């Protein structure tokens, strides 16, 4: 049972890292997808054609279509971590008389996170339809670089409003498109960006809080045992003072699941914290992941553009209105009526 728990957490950790790399990239073909494509080309000579076809369909369903797989993984991951936290960490901390509010904080954050998750996954991200197309076109001006007037979406057969993009996962055009998040199985657009930000922040806070509580527990155990002032005898029979590496090994052998969970939530905190900072930067500067990537790609591209050299225009973010107004736009998306009044 212990091995199964460790394996499940390790598998979730690997898949979490892969999925975060996928959603953090605003590219049509992510680093993971290109790596898989390159590996499949190398192995194509030894893998039977039938098996290749089955693998291609599986990968296409995972990374190019809407799927509940990562939602299920999300639930399994939280269940595994919170199960370990409840059965061992919470019990030990309660016996050591940790503050109750600190022990209950991860559960409070979980309730808020699940609420944001449901809102983000079920809310309309800003799907552009024929009925709302005319009003959405008026909200944002075309910057003439990333978004140009008169561009037609070949799939939806409609003119693309500024800051919109066609999502290949959902097969719809989305207003103020940011990215498609596999964890919530929905696009992140103008109308659910606030829920996604809160979901991301509460998820990071959950991981950080559990890491703090778990680390505090292990530190308390070490202090109570007075282990730092002890010594040990190595394989050669020599006595040594307790070092940090020996201490970590001892804790891992004594509390294997707790130490493994601590390593996992620390890694998760680092990854999610980095992504949180990036998302906050985008919100404060009124950019989307899609716009940030496209502006970087155009800036770093060595390929000649379609425009003549004397007509090339440097990219400038025309949508930023200051930190406060940018944040306000996330939590209260502008409407066509508001834009007419300006």
């Amino acid at each position: 049972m212990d091995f199964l728990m460790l394996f499940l957490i390790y598998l979730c950790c690997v898949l979490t890292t892969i999925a975060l790399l996928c959603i953090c990239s605003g590219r049509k073909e992510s680093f993971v997808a290109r790596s898989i494509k390159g590996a499949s080309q190398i192995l194509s000579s030894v893998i039977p054609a039938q098996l290749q076809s089955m693998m291609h369909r599986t990968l296409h369903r995972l990374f190019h279509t809407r799927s509940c797989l990562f939602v299920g993984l999300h639930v399994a991951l939280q269940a595994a971590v919170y199960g370990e936290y409840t059965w061992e960490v919470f019990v030990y901390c309660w016996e050591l008389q940790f503050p109750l509010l600190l022990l209950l904080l991860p559960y409070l954050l979980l309730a808020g996170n699940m609420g944001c998750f449901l809102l983000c996954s079920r809310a309309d991200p800003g799907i552009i339809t024929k009925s709302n197309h005319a009003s959405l076109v008026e909200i944002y001006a075309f910057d003439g670089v990333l978004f140009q007037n008169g561009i037609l979406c070949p799939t939806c057969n409609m003119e693309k409003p500024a800051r919109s993009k066609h999502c290949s996962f959902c097969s719809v055009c989305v207003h103020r498109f940011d990215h498609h998040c596999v964890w919530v199985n929905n696009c992140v657009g103008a109308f659910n960006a606030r829920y996604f930000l809160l979901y991301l922040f509460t998820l990071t806070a959950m991981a950080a809080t559990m890491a703090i509580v778990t680390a505090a527990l292990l530190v308390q155990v070490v202090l109570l045992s007075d282990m730092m002032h002890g010594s040990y005898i190595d394989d050669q029979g020599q006595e040594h003072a307790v070092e940090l590496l020996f201490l970590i090994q001892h804790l891992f052998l004594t509390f294997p699941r707790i130490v493994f969970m601590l390593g996992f939530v620390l890694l998760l905190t680092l990854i999610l914290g980095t992504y949180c900072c990036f998302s906050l930067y985008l919100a404060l500067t009124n950019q989307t992941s899609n716009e940030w990537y496209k502006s970087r790609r155009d800036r770093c591209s060595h390929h000649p553009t379609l425009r003549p050299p004397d007509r090339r225009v440097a990219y400038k973010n025309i949508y930023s209105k200051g930190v406060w107004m940018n944040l306000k736009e996330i939590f209260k998306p502008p409407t066509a009526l508001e834009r007419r009044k300006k």
Side-chain angles (χ1 to χ4, degrees):
M1 185 67 181
D2 291 349
F3 174 78
L4 182 60
M5 178 72 73
L6 293 175
F7 176 76
L8 176 61
I9 295 177
Y10 174 76
L11 179 62
C12 290
C13 178
V14 173
L15 290 176
T16 299
T17 305
I18 291 175
L20 283 171
L21 286 172
C22 290
I23 65 175
C24 286
S25 170
R27 307 175 185 183
K28 291 182 178 179
E29 187 178 22
S30 67
F31 170 77
V32 176
R34 293 199 308 273
S35 300
I36 293 173
K37 183 178 179 181
S40 64
Q41 290 175 350
I42 296 173
L43 297 174
S44 60
S45 57
V46 294
I47 299 178
Q50 244 180 348
L51 184 59
Q52 288 185 45
S53 177
M54 184 181 69
M55 289 173 60
H56 177 74
R57 288 196 300 271
T58 302
L59 292 174
H60 182 271
R61 178 161 182 79
L62 284 176
F63 297 105
H64 295 281
T65 59
R66 294 191 70 178
S67 172
C68 292
L69 174 67
F70 286 99
V71 175
L73 180 61
H74 180 280
V75 175
L77 176 61
Q78 287 191 336
V81 173
Y82 270 87
E84 177 60 27
Y85 176 81
T86 303
W87 293 328
E88 291 199 89
V89 176
F90 187 93
V91 174
Y92 289 141
C93 288
W94 180 256
E95 292 176 356
L96 293 173
Q97 298 182 344
F98 275 53
L100 181 60
L101 181 60
L102 178 63
L103 298 181
L104 293 178
L105 186 56
Y107 299 105
L108 298 176
L109 290 170
L110 175 64
N113 179 257
M114 292 307 296
C116 295
F117 169 80
L118 292 173
L119 288 171
C120 188
S121 61
R122 293 181 177 273
D124 174 17
I127 297 176
I128 301 173
T129 62
K130 292 183 178 179
S131 59
N132 65 12
H133 178 268
S135 60
L136 294 180
V137 167
E138 298 181 10
I139 294 178
Y140 294 113
F142 293 93
D143 62 2
V145 180
L146 299 184
F147 306 104
Q148 300 181 20
N149 195 3
I151 302 297
L152 193 72
C153 175
T155 305
C156 300
N157 197 28
M158 289 187 295
E159 180 185 351
K160 288 184 177 182
R163 310 193 78 181
S164 69
K165 186 179 183 297
H166 183 85
C167 176
S168 58
F169 288 84
C170 304
S171 192
V172 292
C173 283
V174 178
H175 175 54
R176 200 183 182 276
F177 178 86
D178 191 278
H179 70 282
H180 181 92
C181 179
V182 295
W183 292 111
V184 300
N185 198 27
N186 197 7
C187 291
V188 177
F191 302 147
N192 67 346
R194 56 188 182 274
Y195 304 136
F196 179 77
L197 266 181
L198 294 174
Y199 162 76
L200 190 59
F201 290 150
T202 52
L203 194 62
T204 306
M206 283 165 50
T209 304
M210 296 183 87
I212 291 171
V213 174
T214 306
L217 167 65
L218 295 177
V219 169
Q220 189 72 2
V221 168
V222 171
L223 293 176
L224 290 175
S225 64
D226 202 26
M227 195 180 303
M228 292 300 296
H229 298 94
S231 61
Y232 69 96
I233 299 175
D234 61 15
D235 297 336
Q236 286 74 33
Q238 296 180 351
E239 187 176 0
H240 299 275
V242 172
E243 302 168 347
L244 181 60
L245 182 60
F246 175 84
L247 187 62
I248 295 174
Q249 290 175 346
H250 175 76
L251 289 173
F252 186 80
L253 292 173
T254 309
F255 308 102
R257 291 190 298 267
I258 294 179
V259 174
F260 196 93
M261 188 194 77
L262 176 60
F264 172 67
V265 292
L266 281 174
L267 175 63
L268 203 60
T269 302
L270 179 63
I271 295 174
L272 289 172
T274 304
Y275 189 47
C276 262
C277 293
F278 175 68
S279 298
L280 184 60
Y281 161 75
L282 293 180
L284 294 177
T285 56
N286 205 332
Q287 296 183 79
T288 65
S289 298
N290 177 54
E291 293 165 2
W292 179 85
Y293 168 69
K294 288 174 71 173
S295 64
R296 299 269 301 181
R297 181 192 60 188
D298 294 344
R299 198 176 303 160
C300 300
S301 176
H302 298 289
H303 299 286
T305 59
L306 297 177
R307 296 186 179 190
D310 57 337
R311 293 189 180 180
R312 293 178 190 170
V313 181
Y315 171 71
K316 181 182 178 181
N317 182 13
I318 66 171
Y319 306 113
S320 180
K321 306 177 184 68
V323 172
W324 172 248
M325 293 303 296
N326 292 341
L327 278 177
K328 183 181 177 182
E329 186 170 312
I330 293 291
F331 289 92
K332 187 184 177 184
T335 62
L337 180 61
E338 292 173 350
R339 179 167 176 81
R340 285 195 204 103
K341 290 180 180 178
K342 295 178 182 179

